């Protein structure tokens, strides 16, 4: 049998699928058979493209909503994590959880306004927190060097962890922004440039001695975080 090809231009089809070169077979039933085959192939392609677009749309919605792989809530076992502290030494959560109540607070960046207020409040209240056997740990995407400068500039007296790849933040379910940003600050009369590639949201967690998350705050007011933690720790003490 011979085939006659006719070209059709379709100006609108779902997902901009252009149809062309539809074969028309001459003969008694050839035309119908060719058309059915073409329709079957076209439907398969359109369905495949629709499925792909749905997957892309879902991924886009999840990204815009800040959906992450982990979601740690009160009552859950706290993630086990390791990161370098301000001295470049490995800080392991498993070496601290159980011996004291651990406050893990995530903040966007060293030497910025809100983060400085938050850190200085913890610094000023640390002696009272230590009396209640509380250890404070600050976590950001800053480098070890940045943390050294931050501690030096404001005489900070607690541990700062360098989460430069966002692994600790991810373990706790935080959304991070992966973009290089810098902060200029004058420290000891010298202008310093503090650069980071990860910026996390401001969230605070309290890990009880049983290794479980005792409190979680995703709406932290930077300057009031330390006082809020003191209230939480007081309530935990009454429950024990």
């Amino acid at each position: 049998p011979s085939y006659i090809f006719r070209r059709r231009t379709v100006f609108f089809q779902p997902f901009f699928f252009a149809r062309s070169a539809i074969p028309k077979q001459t003969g008694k039933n050839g035309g119908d058979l060719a058309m059915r085959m073409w329709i079957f192939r076209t439907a398969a392609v359109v369905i495949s493209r629709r499925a792909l677009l749905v997957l892309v749309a879902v991924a886009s919605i999840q990204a815009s909503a800040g959906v992450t792989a982990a979601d740690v809530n009160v009552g859950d076992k706290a993630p086990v994590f390791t990161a370098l502290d301000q001295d470049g030494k490995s800080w392991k959560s498993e070496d601290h959880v159980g011996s004291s109540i651990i406050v893990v607070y995530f903040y966007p960046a060293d030497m910025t306004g809100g983060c400085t207020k938050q850190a200085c409040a913890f610094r000023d209240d640390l002696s009272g927190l230590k009396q209640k056997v509380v250890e404070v740990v600050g976590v950001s995407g800053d480098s070890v060097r940045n943390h050294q400068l931050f501690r030096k500039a404001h005489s900070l007296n607690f541990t700062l962890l360098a989460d430069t790849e966002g692994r600790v933040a991810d373990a706790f379910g935080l959304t991070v922004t992966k973009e290089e940003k810098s902060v200029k600050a004058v420290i000891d009369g010298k202008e310093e440039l503090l650069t980071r590639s990860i910026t996390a949201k401001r969230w605070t967690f309290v890990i009880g001695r049983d290794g479980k998350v005792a409190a979680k705050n995703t709406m932290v007011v930077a300057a009031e975080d330390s006082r809020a933690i003191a209230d939480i720790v007081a309530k935990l003490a009454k429950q024990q």
Side-chain angles (χ1 to χ4, degrees), residues 7 30-31 50 75 77 83 99 146 167 172 180 182 188 196 237:
R7 300 191 63 84
R50 283 179 176 175
K77 183 175 176 59
S99 59
N146 289 2
R167 293 180 180 177
F172 279 84
E180 186 170 294
S182 299
D188 284 350
R196 68 187 186 282

Side-chain angles (χ1 to χ4, degrees), residues 34-221:
M35 179 58 73
R36 289 173 183 174
M37 291 176 63
W38 180 87
I39 291 173
F40 177 80
R41 290 196 297 268
T42 300
V45 172
V46 170
I47 291 171
S48 297
R49 291 188 178 187
R50 283 179 176 175
L52 178 61
L53 288 172
V54 168
L55 290 174
V56 171
V58 170
S60 178
I61 292 171
Q62 288 181 334
S64 63
V67 177
T68 55
D71 188 15
V72 179
N73 294 304
V74 174
D76 293 344
K77 183 175 176 59
V80 177
F81 61 94
T82 302
L84 296 180
D85 65 13
Q86 69 281 342
D87 298 320
K89 298 179 180 179
S90 181
W91 192 96
K92 299 179 180 180
S93 63
E94 58 189 354
D95 294 337
H96 300 262
V97 174
S99 59
S100 59
I101 296 172
I102 309 296
V103 175
V104 181
Y105 84 90
F106 293 87
Y107 63 97
D110 291 339
M111 298 302 296
T112 56
C115 299
T116 297
K117 291 179 181 179
Q118 186 178 19
C120 288
F122 273 116
R123 175 200 64 196
D124 296 342
D125 295 339
L126 191 63
S127 59
L129 291 172
K130 281 186 174 180
Q131 291 178 5
K132 299 176 181 177
V133 197
V134 176
E135 181 178 359
V136 176
V137 180
V139 186
S140 77
D142 287 276
S143 64
V144 169
R145 177 181 177 275
N146 289 2
H147 284 335
Q148 291 173 346
L149 293 172
F150 191 32
R151 278 173 56 95
K152 183 178 182 180
H154 297 288
S155 301
L156 302 181
N157 49 3
F158 55 87
T159 299
L160 296 178
L161 298 182
D163 188 26
T164 55
E165 297 181 357
R167 293 180 180 177
V168 180
D170 182 67
F172 279 84
L174 273 77
T175 299
V176 298
T177 301
K178 296 184 178 181
E179 179 184 358
E180 186 170 294
K181 295 184 179 181
S182 299
V183 175
K184 289 183 179 180
V186 177
I187 301 173
D188 284 350
K190 180 182 177 182
E191 185 175 84
E192 300 283 0
L193 184 66
L194 289 75
T195 302
R196 68 187 186 282
S197 57
I198 294 290
T199 302
K201 290 187 175 181
R202 195 186 308 279
W203 287 13
T204 299
F205 294 83
V206 177
I207 303 174
R209 290 187 177 183
D210 58 358
K212 295 182 179 180
V213 176
K216 173 184 178 181
N217 186 0
T218 61
M219 302 291 289
V220 176
V221 178

